[in-house]
């Protein structure tokens, strides 16, 4: 008995052995993530603080260190860099405001349709709605270029109804400006001086309020069509997870179809809705391939986005410091949205837990 270790010491040794074993198991993944994820991020962060032009190594002694100048140039210094960056932010904001609600509503509507037990051929429709999401985005972009060409199918269809379609990918006019002009509120060719004389971050209020251009609207239609299928599957999985007894109980209580959707289905879909909206926000701030294939930021930079501007600045203008700085600003925007999503979900779970405690 005298040589036997205390129970507390034995438990401590066992816990230590478990911790060591756990770290040994996860060590390969930690090393891989560190080498191929964390280290490149730190290297890119260093590049964003320099004036590296792509020649040689960015870590050699001759590379000029500029500190946060690449970041301040995007927000505070007058010049083309800030103007282009703010233009890309404006374009992306309108892109996000239209794409995220549209694809969410469309995905939920499609999920409700294919989840209906009365629909025949549900497997076919699920595959058909999801097919654009798994098709090559480059191939779809090329098809849209042909469809919206000056002699394409959309323009020809409008001509059948006596309408002259715009030059879709060459039209830089903002749809808000066009709407205000059609309503007779403002003449787009002669906007009020109060809107053109001043504005934040180097753009006038008239430029900020332009809305997405006709060319950007075409890209928006493409993205909503291709991305809704993926989110439809997420909503469909959540709909099939809702207990049938809840719907049957609401029907016995005399609830109509709209009331069942509003008071039973939607509350049960709140976690999925948060997930879909967050994924949509992240994806829309990262839009690149559609812009690269279809417009490359033209016409008049109305389809320029921060992701494409980062690529253009770094790999075409060989200003890798500024290009990397743009990517880190974009990374910060995405992190903010992720933290908001985390906070919303934590608040929801905490509230549910407190209610269960009060009931008990």
């Amino acid at each position: 008995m005298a040589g036997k270790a205390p129970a507390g010491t034995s438990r401590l040794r066992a816990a230590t052995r478990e911790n060591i074993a756990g770290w040994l198991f996860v060590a390969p993944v930690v090393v891989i993530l560190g080498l191929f994820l964390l280290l490149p991020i730190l290297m890119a962060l260093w590049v964003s603080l320099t004036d590296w032009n792509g020649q040689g190594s960015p870590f050699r002694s001759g590379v000029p260190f500029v500190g946060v100048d690449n970041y301040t140039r995007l927000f505070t210094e007058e010049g083309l860099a800030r103007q282009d960056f703010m233009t890309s932010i404006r374009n992306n904001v309108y892109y996000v405001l239209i794409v995220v609600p549209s694809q969410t509503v469309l995905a939920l509507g499609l999920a409700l349709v294919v989840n209906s037990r009365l629909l025949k051929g549900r497997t076919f429709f699920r595959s058909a709605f999801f097919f654009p999401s798994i098709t090559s985005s480059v191939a779809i972009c090329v098809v849209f270029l042909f469809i919206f060409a000056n002699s394409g199918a959309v323009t020809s269809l409008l001509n059948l109804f006596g309408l002259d379609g715009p030059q879709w990918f060459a039209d830089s006019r903002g749809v808000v400006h066009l709407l205000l002009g059609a309503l007779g509120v403002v003449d787009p060719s002669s906007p009020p001086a109060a809107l053109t004389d001043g504005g934040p971050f180097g753009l006038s209020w008239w430029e900020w309020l332009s809305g997405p251009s006709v060319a950007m609207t075409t890209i928006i239609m493409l993205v909503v069509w291709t991305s809704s299928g993926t989110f439809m599957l997420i909503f469909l999985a959540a709909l099939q997870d809702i207990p049938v007894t809840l719907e049957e109980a609401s029907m016995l209580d005399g609830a109509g179809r709209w009331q069942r959707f509003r008071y039973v289905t939607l509350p049960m879909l709140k976690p999925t809705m948060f997930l879909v909206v967050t994924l949509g926000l992240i994806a829309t701030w990262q839009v690149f391939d559609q812009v690269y294939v279809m417009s490359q930021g033209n016409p008049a930079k109305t389809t320029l986005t921060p992701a494409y501007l980062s690529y253009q600045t770094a790999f075409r203008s060989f200003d890798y410091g500024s290009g990397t700085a743009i990517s880190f600003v974009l990374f910060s925007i995405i992190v903010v949205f992720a933290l908001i999503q985390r906070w919303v979900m934590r608040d929801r779970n905490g509230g549910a837990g407190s209610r269960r405690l009060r009931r008990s």
Side-chain angles (χ1 to χ4, degrees):
M1 295 295 292
K4 188 176 181 180
T9 304
S10 300
R11 286 195 297 268
L12 180 61
R13 290 176 179 175
T16 302
R17 287 194 297 268
E18 290 179 359
N19 290 336
I20 295 175
W23 278 110
L24 289 176
F25 276 111
V26 302
V29 177
V30 172
V31 171
I32 292 174
L33 290 178
L35 288 177
F36 297 101
L37 183 64
L38 180 60
L39 184 60
I41 291 175
L42 296 176
M43 294 171 65
L45 180 61
W46 167 259
V47 172
S48 70
L49 302 176
T50 67
D51 195 21
W52 184 51
N53 61 1
Q55 301 295 323
S57 172
F59 305 104
R60 70 180 192 275
S61 58
V63 176
F65 179 81
V66 297
V68 295
D69 287 352
N70 291 327
Y71 293 92
T72 58
R73 193 182 302 120
L74 299 176
F75 293 96
T76 61
E77 296 183 11
E78 294 285 347
L80 184 61
R82 186 178 75 165
Q83 184 178 2
D84 287 348
F85 179 68
M86 290 303 163
T87 300
S88 70
I89 292 293
R90 179 203 62 184
N91 298 338
N92 220 139
V93 166
Y94 282 114
Y95 180 87
V96 171
L97 291 177
I98 297 176
V99 169
V100 174
S102 299
Q103 69 184 9
T104 303
V105 172
L106 180 58
L108 179 58
L110 294 176
L112 291 172
V113 170
V114 298
N115 190 54
S116 175
R117 290 186 292 271
L118 301 177
L119 179 66
K120 296 182 179 180
R122 286 183 295 174
T123 303
F124 167 77
F125 286 106
R126 291 174 183 176
S127 302
F129 293 150
F130 182 64
F131 184 74
S133 300
I134 60 176
T135 306
S136 170
S137 61
V138 175
I140 294 179
C141 290
V142 172
V143 171
F144 259 65
L145 286 174
F146 282 106
I147 292 176
F148 285 91
N150 294 337
S151 58
V154 175
T155 303
S156 301
L157 182 62
L158 292 176
N159 291 336
L160 291 178
F161 295 94
L163 301 174
D164 294 329
Q167 296 181 354
W168 296 96
F169 288 103
D171 197 334
S172 61
R173 295 175 298 172
V175 294
V176 174
H177 289 175
L178 294 176
L179 180 61
L180 293 177
L183 297 176
V185 178
V186 176
D187 183 7
S189 61
S190 180
L195 295 177
T196 58
D197 288 344
F201 300 110
L203 297 182
S204 66
W205 287 110
W206 180 249
E207 292 173 314
W208 280 108
L209 300 175
S210 64
S213 66
V214 175
M216 178 62 84
T217 304
T218 310
I219 298 177
I220 288 173
M221 290 188 288
L222 179 147
V223 172
V224 171
W225 176 60
T226 56
S227 61
S228 298
T230 301
F231 296 125
M232 177 201 70
L233 288 185
I234 298 176
F235 277 124
L236 181 60
L239 286 172
Q240 293 179 346
D241 196 43
I242 297 177
V244 181
T245 54
L246 289 178
E247 183 177 357
E248 294 175 347
S250 62
M251 293 176 64
L252 292 176
D253 290 338
R257 180 177 299 179
W258 167 250
Q259 290 175 320
R260 294 198 303 271
F261 174 74
R262 180 179 179 182
Y263 296 108
V264 178
T265 304
L266 275 183
M268 297 295 291
L269 290 179
K270 277 186 178 180
T272 307
M273 187 74 70
F274 283 129
L275 174 64
V276 168
V277 171
T278 301
L279 292 177
L281 288 171
I282 294 173
T284 49
W285 278 107
Q286 293 178 328
V287 58
F288 173 81
D289 48 350
Q290 292 87 356
V291 175
Y292 180 82
V293 175
M294 304 177 76
S295 65
Q296 298 192 355
N298 296 315
K301 300 180 181 180
T302 56
T303 61
L304 188 67
T305 61
Y308 183 77
L309 180 62
S310 175
Y311 159 79
Q312 187 181 55
T313 304
F315 294 98
R316 291 191 175 180
S317 300
F318 301 103
D319 188 358
Y320 288 87
S322 297
T324 311
I326 294 172
S327 67
F328 271 97
V329 174
L330 184 60
F331 173 76
S332 301
I333 294 173
I334 295 173
V335 168
V336 168
F337 281 120
L339 291 177
I340 292 174
Q341 166 68 9
R342 181 182 177 87
W343 177 81
V344 171
M345 294 298 293
R346 181 178 58 186
D347 179 69
R348 181 183 60 83
N349 293 333
S354 61
R355 286 193 295 271
R356 287 194 294 269
L357 288 174
R358 285 197 295 269
R359 291 195 195 101
S360 62

